[in-house]
Amino acid sequence: REEEQQRARFKMASGKKKKASSSSSSSSKSATHSAGGKGEKKSSTAEVSQRAASETNSGGAIQLPRKEGDLFNDALIAYEQRKFKDALNAIEKILKKFPNHGETLCMKGLIVRNCELKPNETEEERKKKAHEFVSVGVKNNIFSHVCWHVYGLLHKADRNYKEASKCYSQALKIDPNNFLVVRDLAQAHLMLREMDEYVDARRKLFELKMGQPGSSDRANQIVIGLFMSEKWEECLEMLNEFEKFDTMDRTRRNGELLAKKKEIPEPTYEDTFQESEILLFRAVVLEKIGKVDECVELLEKNEKKIVDDAARLTQLCRLKIAKGDATAAREMAENDLVNRMPDNEKYHELMHESMNTKVSLMEPPMERSEEDIAKLKTLYDALQKKHAKSSMCKRYPLQIVNDSSEFESLLAEYIQKPLRKGVPSLFADISSLYGGIHDEEKSIGKVLKAAADSLKKSGKFPSSSDNKDDVLEAKPKETHRYALNLLAMHYAKIGKIDEALKCIDEAIEAKDENDGDNDGEQEKVLEFHLNKSRFLKRAGDLEGAYEESEIARNMDLADRYINSVSVKRAFQCGKFREAERLGTLFTRDAENYKTNLFDMQCNWYAYEAGHSHEKFEKITGRALKYYREIRTHCEQIIEDQIDFHRYCVNVKRTLRSFMDTLKMCDDIYASAWFKKAARRAILICVDMHDDPLEAKKERVEAKLSKLDQEERKKERQKTRKEEEKKEKEVESFERLLAEDLKRARETKAKRTGKPVSGENSSNTTTNNNNKDSNNNNSAIEKEYLDEKYGAKAFAQASKDPMEEALSFMNPLLMSAKNDEDVNVQSLVFLVHFKRQKWVLATKALRKMAKCAPKNPLTHRCVDSLSRAIASIENEIEKQVVQSTISSLNVDKVNVQCKTLVDAAHLSVMKNDFEKALLGAVDPRKTSWKECRDALEVFERSGNATFYEQFHKACTSAFPSKSNKSKEHPSVVISAAAFARVGVEDSVRSAPFL
């Protein structure tokens, strides 16, 4: 629209000049004609248009002189080399002479966008400044493809690929064959997954430089777009074109080498690998089309050319199964794949598929026919003889048998060797046996308990009918401890936490034969303490879980995993300062631990830290800061596919891997970490919208005004003491952290032999002038406040909370998987409901009704929208909402409650506490996390009665195993697990989540 207005102004200006020149004197016109000249006429028109342009943009479209043109080129080179300071200096020199030059202004904006932040400058301010420069530059020279290209690059830097593609398209209207602009446009379409437009742009690039070096790579790019848009036939044709141009490129390279070195070198491994990857990709395309015979022929014919033989055999086996050649497929799976790697689960599944059966280690055992059992038994008897050391060949028979006694004898034999060796992952291996046809207590529990009891009494495993050798174990006490550990994990799995804690305590307190070998004993006990920490966490005793994880951590201070477990437990029980201190121990550079934790893209750390600050410290700004980090990580992963794109497609030609990367990026916003962080952030923003900071201050002042002077003074003193107490905690934490950092610096200095950084900082600061020191102090103070309270994130969100909520909601809508998630769609509904975007809210409601029509949350959202109809002013929107609600036809009678959260929503909806579901919580069937989520539903609903009733049920079901009340020693507490998320006096309007 701005471009059309600019063109209209330009035409009006030139038209006025022509009209004025024609009406001024007819003699001049006749003189012009008599002078004869078409050339003179053209020159006069050019002068008029130039004058009009100069009036429009004041010299923004003029061509720079040679000196300034060279400076502009230097700035471009410096920008590409990321020397932004030099580039900016060159641009400033040009703007001194030509302050309104459009292309130079645009380039200045792009450079400013990439420069480092100034001490008192924010990211948003820098973005705004850059956009101002570029927008002025575009207005000054609207017909320059350079200006529009730079504008697109600026939008690309902001990750706004939609606007970037618009700017690139506008640049191509002016310069249709600009290779760089077309390439950037194709990249933007790929990021937006506009595959048809991407293919068109790549075809144009291919045509622009057809036959030139690199044509094969440009053909490869088209292949990717056609594959992603599922145009298999065209993709195959383009692959044929690629091979032609690849042969041309190879011939050209060989000719150049022959001219230089008088010989053609042998193909390298990299060349062979690239050819292999293209052949495998061609096989994938042929399989997609359905040309099975041609695909089989390709794979068999090019056996020697394909480097990844395992991938070739896997696909070939799958194709033979599709053709119906089960015998050949089984021989290939057994002889070529399983023999190659007997512990690979995928190879075993292919073998089962060729036998027309399905056996998966990820699913519990199910009932099978006698014929299938006999076939599989015969198969695995042979495989066990052939691969005696393979654990997978011994593990699969447990999934096969129907008879419980046979299953018990197989399980008893299977666990013996891992228990002797003390394998920590044994229970994770057999955990898929739970929930199947064999009873968890009578079969699995019986075997594990018999092993522990027999080792305790006689020092050997119980003898079976097959193996009657009574051989005493080499280390019976040590094996008994691991058997107790396994039994404890079994009890925890079936919900008997008390029994699990008894077993693990017995395992910890027991002593083995190697009493003098401290290192060996610590390594064994460490795993038991970790398991006890898990049991306590599952029981809701978060404080006790943290204490046990600290015991395990102190046993092996060099183990990063155990340190991470301890950090997580500390966050969960509210010890966030201790968690942050522990988090610095394994960062690459202890001095810059915050940056290192962010650079490592550690999502679990960011979520746990944010939730801890939100739940325990009630600092929503700092919580938002951490949730934003998770969003930034996802954005960075998506942006990194641009670099991965060039590496995969042009350098290595691993097209299959690149397709997997694209699919992963498509679903990254449906990942569990982002959905959890987005939910917490959106709820914080909604609370800020419903209950702004000013309203909170007014409530506090109104509350104080009702008190007399002495009580008001006491209240203020109480508040001040609480703040001082927090300040002392922060100071002590910072003191401990400073000592840890000092030790880390000294250790690093001893290891590297370099002086400790920061020793001479006092000398350098004293030499600075007052102005610089004041600026530095203010910047440091600002950074400290931002780190301590999340002041920056809180201030940005406070300006427009719903805009901040949209920044988390919009990415959720980018993944198709989230369309089928009722919890995600309820968040979308909540945001649009608060923004009073009724049509968009109905759209989210339709998706909720489609994926979960009987969910109580859907019913609550329908009720909330029904009550809001009276407040809708626009008649069209009101009709849309009414028609949507009537078309949904939600039946409130057939509501299904699958979880405690559903029961909580149903209680709020009916205004009647569901005692049958919520009155007594069974810790065997549910977890404390689910109870906490249901508690938050009552907390957000504002129903204090329901909240207290369910809170009482939760604390009785999940009492603390380690921390008891000082006032009442018989009463156990679990404060951390069921602490309130929000502030008690917060105000929420229309709360339905």
Side-chain angles (χ1 to χ4, degrees):
R1 195 180 298 115
E2 288 179 1
E3 179 201 353
E4 290 173 0
Q5 292 174 359
Q6 192 72 22
R7 284 180 185 275
R9 285 198 295 269
F10 182 79
K11 288 178 181 178
M12 287 174 64
S14 59
K16 286 178 182 178
K17 288 289 178 184
K18 287 179 182 178
K19 193 172 181 181
S21 62
S22 62
S23 61
S24 60
S25 62
S26 59
S27 59
S28 63
K29 186 176 180 182
S30 60
T32 305
H33 280 290
S34 62
K38 286 188 178 179
E40 289 185 15
K41 187 176 180 182
K42 283 182 181 177
S43 63
S44 64
T45 308
E47 287 174 5
V48 170
S49 60
Q50 188 176 358
R51 247 182 274 126
S54 63
E55 285 184 11
T56 307
N57 55 31
S58 302
I62 64 171
Q63 186 175 357
L64 292 172
R66 184 176 178 180
K67 182 181 176 182
E68 282 72 23
D70 291 341
L71 281 172
F72 190 85
N73 291 332
D74 292 342
L76 287 175
I77 294 168
Y79 171 77
E80 288 173 357
Q81 295 175 350
R82 303 191 67 81
K83 297 177 181 178
F84 301 121
K85 204 169 184 180
D86 297 342
L88 195 59
N89 290 335
I91 290 295
E92 291 292 354
K93 288 177 183 177
I94 300 171
L95 290 175
K96 282 181 182 178
K97 290 187 179 181
F98 304 96
N100 296 320
H101 190 254
E103 294 176 359
T104 309
L105 282 169
C106 288
M107 201 61 209
K108 183 179 179 180
L110 187 61
I111 294 167
V112 167
R113 174 67 180 81
N114 290 279
C115 284
E116 291 184 3
L117 289 173
K118 293 178 182 178
N120 293 321
E121 189 182 30
T122 63
E123 184 75 22
E124 292 299 321
E125 289 172 354
R126 188 181 64 175
K127 283 184 184 179
K128 188 178 178 182
K129 191 176 177 181
H131 275 275
E132 285 174 358
F133 280 123
V134 177
S135 59
V136 171
V138 171
K139 287 176 183 177
N140 287 353
N141 193 355
I142 202 168
F143 301 115
S144 169
H145 75 278
V146 175
C147 292
W148 286 108
H149 189 194
V150 171
Y151 208 179
L153 292 173
L154 186 65
H155 283 302
K156 177 188 170 184
D158 295 339
R159 300 190 179 102
N160 189 352
Y161 297 104
K162 194 73 179 174
E163 290 300 319
S165 65
K166 291 178 184 177
C167 293
Y168 297 145
S169 300
Q170 189 61 38
L172 287 174
K173 288 179 183 177
I174 301 165
D175 187 4
N177 295 327
N178 191 304
F179 184 84
L180 295 176
V181 179
V182 178
R183 186 191 64 187
D184 288 340
L185 177 63
Q187 215 170 65
H189 286 314
L190 181 65
M191 300 300 289
L192 294 167
R193 297 297 185 267
E194 296 171 348
M195 300 316 297
D196 292 336
E197 291 82 356
Y198 171 77
V199 170
D200 292 340
R202 284 295 173 186
R203 282 190 192 279
K204 190 170 184 179
L205 283 174
F206 183 65
E207 291 166 3
L208 283 172
K209 293 195 176 184
M210 185 180 288
Q212 297 182 24
S215 296
S216 57
D217 293 333
R218 288 187 283 276
N220 242 344
Q221 308 281 0
I222 303 172
V223 169
I224 287 169
L226 293 170
F227 188 91
M228 289 297 291
S229 53
E230 299 183 357
K231 296 177 180 177
W232 315 120
E233 294 286 353
E234 293 181 37
C235 183
L236 189 61
E237 291 174 10
M238 203 64 215
L239 268 174
N240 295 331
E241 289 292 317
F242 158 77
E243 288 185 354
K244 291 178 187 176
F245 285 101
D246 188 45
T247 306
M248 287 173 58
D249 287 345
R250 199 180 296 115
T251 305
R252 185 185 293 111
R253 285 196 302 270
N254 290 339
E256 291 172 358
L257 289 170
L258 186 62
K260 287 181 181 179
K261 300 181 179 180
K262 306 301 181 182
E263 62 177 357
I264 300 174
E266 292 293 325
T268 61
Y269 177 78
E270 188 174 351
D271 296 333
T272 310
F273 178 77
Q274 289 179 0
E275 186 182 0
S276 165
E277 284 296 314
I278 293 298
L279 285 170
L280 287 171
F281 186 74
R282 177 183 279 276
V284 171
V285 176
L286 287 170
E287 186 180 358
K288 294 284 185 183
I289 295 172
K291 297 181 178 180
V292 178
D293 293 331
E294 192 175 338
C295 185
V296 170
E297 184 184 353
L298 175 73
L299 292 171
E300 289 178 345
K301 185 180 176 181
N302 297 285
E303 179 181 356
K304 294 183 179 179
K305 291 183 180 180
I306 295 174
V307 177
D308 191 354
D309 197 44
R312 183 188 72 84
L313 289 170
T314 302
Q315 188 176 4
L316 202 55
C317 185
R318 192 170 61 244
L319 291 167
K320 287 185 181 294
I321 293 169
K323 283 178 66 178
D325 193 357
T327 307
R330 180 182 170 180
E331 287 178 3
M332 185 175 291
E334 185 177 347
N335 299 328
D336 295 333
L337 291 173
V338 175
N339 285 347
R340 177 192 295 257
M341 197 180 292
D343 285 332
N344 191 311
E345 189 180 343
K346 290 182 180 178
Y347 296 164
H348 284 268
E349 289 177 359
L350 270 175
M351 189 167 57
H352 301 150
E353 194 177 347
S354 67
M355 297 171 68
N356 199 22
T357 58
K358 184 183 178 183
V359 185
S360 174
L361 295 182
M362 304 302 292
E363 298 174 1
M366 60 182 185
E367 199 79 32
R368 300 183 188 279
S369 65
E370 293 297 328
E371 184 183 353
D372 286 347
I373 293 173
K375 283 194 299 184
L376 290 167
K377 271 187 178 181
T378 307
L379 171 68
Y380 278 101
D381 286 343
L383 286 174
Q384 283 176 20
K385 291 176 182 177
K386 194 183 291 186
H387 308 288
K389 293 184 179 180
S390 171
S391 61
M392 196 69 69
C393 295
K394 297 174 184 176
R395 175 66 181 80
Y396 267 105
L398 293 171
Q399 302 286 126
I400 295 167
V401 296
N402 290 338
D403 185 47
S404 294
S405 59
E406 188 178 359
F407 168 79
E408 289 167 16
S409 64
L410 287 171
L411 179 60
E413 185 181 353
Y414 181 75
I415 64 173
Q416 287 182 16
K417 187 177 178 181
L419 285 177
R420 290 189 188 103
K421 291 187 174 183
V423 177
S425 60
L426 175 59
F427 187 77
D429 184 13
I430 65 171
S431 61
S432 61
L433 298 174
Y434 290 80
I437 57 175
H438 306 294
D439 191 270
E440 294 173 356
E441 289 193 61
K442 293 180 181 178
S443 289
I444 301 174
K446 176 184 173 184
V447 171
L448 302 183
K449 194 170 188 309
D453 292 344
S454 178
L455 285 165
K456 184 178 182 180
K457 290 177 182 177
S458 59
K460 57 188 177 183
F461 284 102
S463 59
S464 62
S465 57
D466 298 332
N467 183 18
K468 296 183 179 180
D469 297 333
D470 295 334
V471 181
L472 191 68
E473 291 297 316
K475 297 180 180 180
K477 292 184 179 179
E478 180 183 335
T479 311
H480 173 238
R481 295 174 72 192
Y482 279 105
L484 285 172
N485 178 48
L486 186 65
L487 183 61
M489 296 171 87
H490 160 75
Y491 283 133
K493 178 76 174 177
I494 62 176
K496 294 183 175 181
I497 301 296
D498 291 331
E499 295 292 329
L501 288 170
K502 284 180 185 176
C503 286
I504 201 68
D505 284 337
E506 187 179 348
I508 290 170
E509 292 165 7
K511 293 182 180 179
D512 58 24
E513 296 82 7
N514 300 329
D515 214 4
D517 189 1
N518 293 329
D519 294 336
E521 187 177 355
Q522 283 182 352
E523 188 179 351
K524 299 163 197 169
V525 174
L526 180 149
E527 296 152 5
F528 302 156
H529 283 287
L530 271 183
N531 284 334
K532 186 177 180 181
S533 174
R534 289 191 191 99
F535 302 155
L536 290 171
K537 178 201 157 200
R538 203 170 293 175
D541 183 8
L542 303 183
E543 293 88 349
Y546 166 66
E547 290 171 6
E548 287 298 324
S549 66
E550 273 294 280
I551 294 172
R553 186 184 69 83
N554 288 318
M555 289 179 177
D556 189 358
L557 295 173
D559 195 311
R560 183 192 291 267
Y561 170 73
I562 300 170
N563 185 75
S564 300
V565 171
S566 195
V567 169
K568 194 172 183 179
R569 298 285 185 268
F571 274 132
Q572 288 171 345
C573 71
K575 299 180 185 294
F576 43 85
R577 294 192 182 94
E578 185 62 22
E580 289 171 357
R581 189 182 70 82
L582 292 174
T584 65
L585 298 179
F586 280 88
T587 51
R588 186 174 52 208
D589 184 0
E591 295 178 65
N592 301 319
Y593 70 95
K594 297 166 192 168
T595 309
N596 290 335
L597 285 168
F598 176 79
D599 290 340
M600 284 191 288
Q601 297 183 339
C602 198
N603 284 332
W604 70 264
Y605 180 88
Y607 177 77
E608 294 294 348
H611 192 47
S612 182
H613 285 292
E614 179 191 1
K615 184 177 179 180
F616 298 105
E617 205 174 14
K618 314 300 181 189
I619 299 181
T620 54
R622 195 160 182 195
L624 268 177
K625 180 175 177 286
Y626 281 113
Y627 297 146
R628 279 179 167 189
E629 284 184 7
I630 297 177
R631 185 183 67 194
T632 305
H633 296 333
C634 294
E635 290 171 353
Q636 287 174 347
I637 291 169
I638 290 174
E639 194 173 359
D640 287 343
Q641 69 181 288
I642 297 173
D643 300 326
F644 194 60
H645 175 262
R646 186 182 179 283
Y647 176 78
C648 271
V649 180
N650 295 351
V651 180
K652 293 294 183 182
R653 292 182 178 173
T654 52
L655 302 185
R656 295 179 302 143
S657 300
F658 184 62
M659 296 304 168
D660 294 338
T661 304
L662 292 180
K663 289 174 184 175
M664 183 270 291
C665 290
D666 288 342
D667 296 330
I668 196 165
Y669 288 120
S671 60
W673 288 116
F674 181 76
K675 287 200 287 189
K676 290 197 291 186
R679 181 178 183 273
R680 299 303 330 161
I682 287 172
L683 292 180
I684 287 172
C685 294
V686 168
D687 288 344
M688 290 170 69
H689 173 268
D690 291 344
D691 192 17
L693 189 62
E694 293 77 12
K696 289 180 181 178
K697 289 179 180 177
E698 288 175 4
R699 280 204 309 274
V700 171
E701 291 299 327
K703 186 179 177 181
L704 290 174
S705 63
K706 292 178 182 178
L707 304 174
D708 56 28
Q709 191 171 358
E710 288 186 6
E711 289 179 344
R712 195 182 306 140
K713 189 177 179 181
K714 287 180 182 178
E715 192 68 28
R716 292 188 189 278
Q717 285 178 349
K718 183 181 176 183
T719 307
R720 191 161 52 250
K721 283 181 181 179
E722 289 177 357
E723 290 176 356
E724 287 175 358
K725 185 180 177 183
K726 280 188 178 181
E727 287 292 335
K728 286 180 181 177
E729 288 178 2
V730 172
E731 286 174 7
S732 63
F733 161 69
E734 288 175 349
R735 203 161 39 247
L736 282 170
L737 187 59
E739 290 173 2
D740 289 345
L741 293 178
K742 185 180 178 183
R743 281 196 296 271
R745 282 196 295 268
E746 290 172 352
T747 307
K748 184 179 178 182
K750 288 177 183 177
R751 188 176 69 250
T752 59
K754 296 179 181 179
V756 181
S757 60
E759 284 181 345
N760 301 323
S761 59
S762 58
N763 297 330
T764 54
T765 49
T766 53
N767 294 329
N768 290 335
N769 55 39
N770 293 330
K771 185 177 179 181
D772 290 339
S773 62
N774 289 336
N775 289 335
N776 289 335
N777 289 336
S778 62
I780 290 167
E781 185 180 358
K782 197 173 183 180
E783 184 182 354
Y784 173 74
L785 289 173
D786 181 39
E787 180 60 34
K788 185 178 176 183
Y789 300 112
K792 182 179 171 183
F794 186 80
Q796 290 173 352
S798 298
K799 290 178 184 176
D800 191 351
M802 299 319 296
E803 192 65 31
E804 181 72 15
L806 277 175
S807 68
F808 283 93
M809 185 204 76
N810 288 330
L812 289 170
L813 299 176
M814 293 171 66
S815 177
K817 284 186 178 180
N818 289 333
D819 290 344
E820 300 175 0
D821 191 332
V822 66
N823 294 313
V824 170
Q825 293 305 319
S826 66
L827 289 173
V828 177
F829 176 82
L830 173 62
V831 173
H832 290 317
F833 186 90
K834 296 295 182 182
R835 294 174 65 233
Q836 297 185 358
K837 302 293 182 182
W838 308 112
V839 177
L840 294 173
T842 56
K843 184 180 177 182
L845 191 57
R846 285 194 198 97
K847 289 182 180 179
M848 290 179 69
K850 184 180 178 181
C851 64
K854 296 182 179 181
N855 194 302
L857 183 56
T858 306
H859 293 258
R860 286 194 69 191
C861 291
V862 171
D863 289 346
S864 300
L865 195 59
S866 301
R867 289 194 295 270
I869 290 176
S871 63
I872 301 175
E873 297 177 357
N874 191 308
E875 288 298 324
I876 297 175
E877 290 182 345
K878 185 180 285 189
Q879 290 175 10
V880 170
V881 172
Q882 287 174 340
S883 63
T884 301
I885 292 173
S886 59
S887 65
L888 290 176
N889 194 19
V890 178
D891 185 10
K892 294 185 179 180
V893 178
N894 299 321
V895 178
Q896 291 182 352
C897 292
K898 296 180 180 179
T899 62
L900 291 178
V901 177
D902 295 341
H905 283 301
L906 185 63
S907 300
V908 175
M909 186 179 71
K910 291 182 175 181
N911 199 20
D912 184 20
F913 190 73
E914 293 287 331
K915 288 186 178 179
L917 298 169
L918 302 172
V921 178
D922 188 356
R924 297 188 183 187
K925 296 179 181 179
T926 188
S927 65
W928 66 269
K929 287 185 178 181
E930 190 179 349
C931 293
R932 182 194 63 189
D933 293 340
L935 261 178
E936 190 178 358
V937 172
F938 290 130
E939 181 187 340
R940 299 189 70 81
S941 70
N943 195 320
T945 307
F946 289 176
Y947 179 86
E948 292 300 330
Q949 280 182 277
F950 189 59
H951 188 272
K952 187 176 179 182
C954 291
T955 50
S956 61
F958 295 98
S960 174
K961 306 295 178 186
S962 57
N963 295 333
K964 295 191 175 184
S965 173
K966 294 179 181 178
E967 297 177 1
H968 306 283
S970 60
V971 179
V972 288
I973 56 172
S974 53
F978 305 116
R980 281 181 176 270
V981 177
V983 184
E984 290 190 23
D985 64 343
S986 59
V987 176
R988 297 183 175 101
S989 59
F992 43 78
L993 282 178

